[in-house]
Amino acid sequence: MLRKYSNHRTIQDNIKLGALTAFSAGMVNVASVIVFFSFTSNVTGYYAIFAQEIAKGNWYQGAVVLFWILLFLVGSMLSNMIIIHGKGRFSTYLTHSIPLGLEIFSILFVGIYLDFFYKDSLQETEVLVGALLFAMGLQNGLTATISNFVVKTTHLTGLTTDLAILISMFTKESNRHNKALVDKFHLLLSIVIAYVAGGLISGLSFAFLTYKTFYIVCFVLLIIGFYDYYKLYIIKKQYLQRHRQDPVSV
């Protein structure tokens, strides 16, 4: 899922990456709504809230919302910078894993803080919401960059529009046999289903695990990282076996 870049990725690579990251984004968004009454997987609504607060003269509230927007922006920018500057200097897997690791750390920080230190103050809430927006920015920047902007999983507005366009295109028979369009439809549909499933699981788990729900999100993200580590281990093992069997050809 992580070890391939841009046009070298197959539709299966993108579906796996899109489904798992969308599942985690859905979990984060629902959990943050339950705890903070705030959406954290996208910033679309925050632009409107920012304008509203400034129009009312609520400068502090406007500054907080702007801070959240900037954290999402910085997260996305940081992911892309790590990938483009790490390309050629480190392995593709390692380069792509760094933003994922930072995302896991940010979400884990929120989970631990809520579990042991949270006093339900406004200042704490503002910081923790910012940490989740930063994490979602990292995720969206990572998936968009390595998939050549095909996979975006933290928000569904544009994706729903694309899905609607594809469905309308499939009313024409020739388009139903277009592999590129069919593959894109399967990718978008898998992201939508995974996002909703993640939100559903998050809502159910929160009733029993409360703040520990964020640990489950971290576990899902770890699966993404270890999946590729395992695949690389298998590839290396197969290469060494071939080398032992036919050392002359190497």
Side-chain angles (χ1 to χ4, degrees):
M1 281 182 280
L2 294 176
R3 60 194 174 89
K4 295 181 182 178
Y5 182 73
S6 191
N7 295 326
H8 297 290
R9 299 179 61 83
T10 66
I11 182 63
Q12 287 77 20
D13 292 326
N14 285 337
I15 286 177
K16 290 173 187 174
L17 178 68
L20 279 174
T21 53
F23 184 86
S24 66
M27 288 196 70
V28 167
N29 206 32
V30 169
S32 64
V33 169
I34 294 172
V35 180
F36 307 119
F37 304 101
S38 297
F39 296 105
T40 55
S41 70
N42 65 85
V43 292
T44 305
Y46 289 125
Y47 280 99
I49 294 172
F50 171 69
Q52 181 187 36
E53 296 296 349
I54 295 302
K56 290 180 177 180
N58 298 330
W59 302 108
Y60 175 79
Q61 290 87 342
V64 169
V65 175
L66 179 61
F67 174 66
W68 289 344
I69 294 171
L70 290 176
L71 280 172
F72 189 94
L73 174 72
V74 169
S76 297
M77 184 175 68
L78 183 59
S79 273
N80 189 58
M81 286 179 63
I82 290 170
I83 292 167
I84 62 176
H85 289 290
K87 189 178 180 182
R89 300 176 64 183
F90 308 104
S91 70
T92 304
Y93 170 71
L94 177 61
T95 304
H96 295 175
S97 295
I98 293 173
L100 184 69
L102 291 173
E103 180 187 357
I104 292 171
F105 177 81
S106 298
I107 296 173
L108 187 61
F109 162 74
V110 173
I112 292 173
Y113 193 93
L114 287 170
D115 225 359
F116 298 102
F117 308 106
Y118 190 51
K119 300 285 193 300
D120 199 16
S121 70
L122 179 60
Q123 289 74 23
E124 288 175 307
T125 297
E126 290 167 352
V127 171
L128 294 176
V129 168
L132 290 176
L133 283 164
F134 176 72
M136 291 296 96
L138 283 165
Q139 177 175 302
N140 212 40
L142 171 66
T143 58
T145 300
I146 68 176
S147 68
N148 198 24
F149 299 97
V150 173
V151 179
K152 296 178 183 177
T153 58
T154 63
H155 54 277
L156 302 183
T157 306
L159 188 150
T160 303
T161 303
D162 292 343
L163 197 59
I165 291 171
L166 283 171
I167 293 172
S168 67
M169 291 180 72
F170 288 150
T171 59
K172 189 175 180 180
E173 186 176 357
S174 59
N175 289 329
R176 295 198 289 270
H177 302 287
N178 186 316
K179 187 178 184 302
L181 293 178
V182 172
D183 285 348
K184 185 175 182 180
F185 175 78
H186 289 157
L187 172 63
L188 298 182
L189 188 62
S190 68
I191 291 172
V192 170
I193 292 173
Y195 189 97
V196 174
L200 180 62
I201 294 297
S202 183
L204 293 173
S205 68
F206 207 90
F208 301 97
L209 301 176
T210 61
Y211 301 141
K212 292 180 176 60
T213 299
F214 289 101
Y215 302 153
I216 299 177
V217 179
C218 294
F219 178 74
V220 172
L221 294 171
L222 281 172
I223 290 174
I224 298 173
F226 281 112
Y227 174 85
D228 273 318
Y229 181 83
Y230 174 74
K231 292 288 286 186
L232 287 170
Y233 169 78
I234 295 298
I235 291 171
K236 183 178 179 180
K237 186 176 180 180
Q238 291 173 344
Y239 171 80
L240 291 174
Q241 286 177 344
R242 287 197 300 267
H243 176 68
R244 293 192 190 99
Q245 292 171 359
D246 189 15
V248 179
S249 63
V250 179

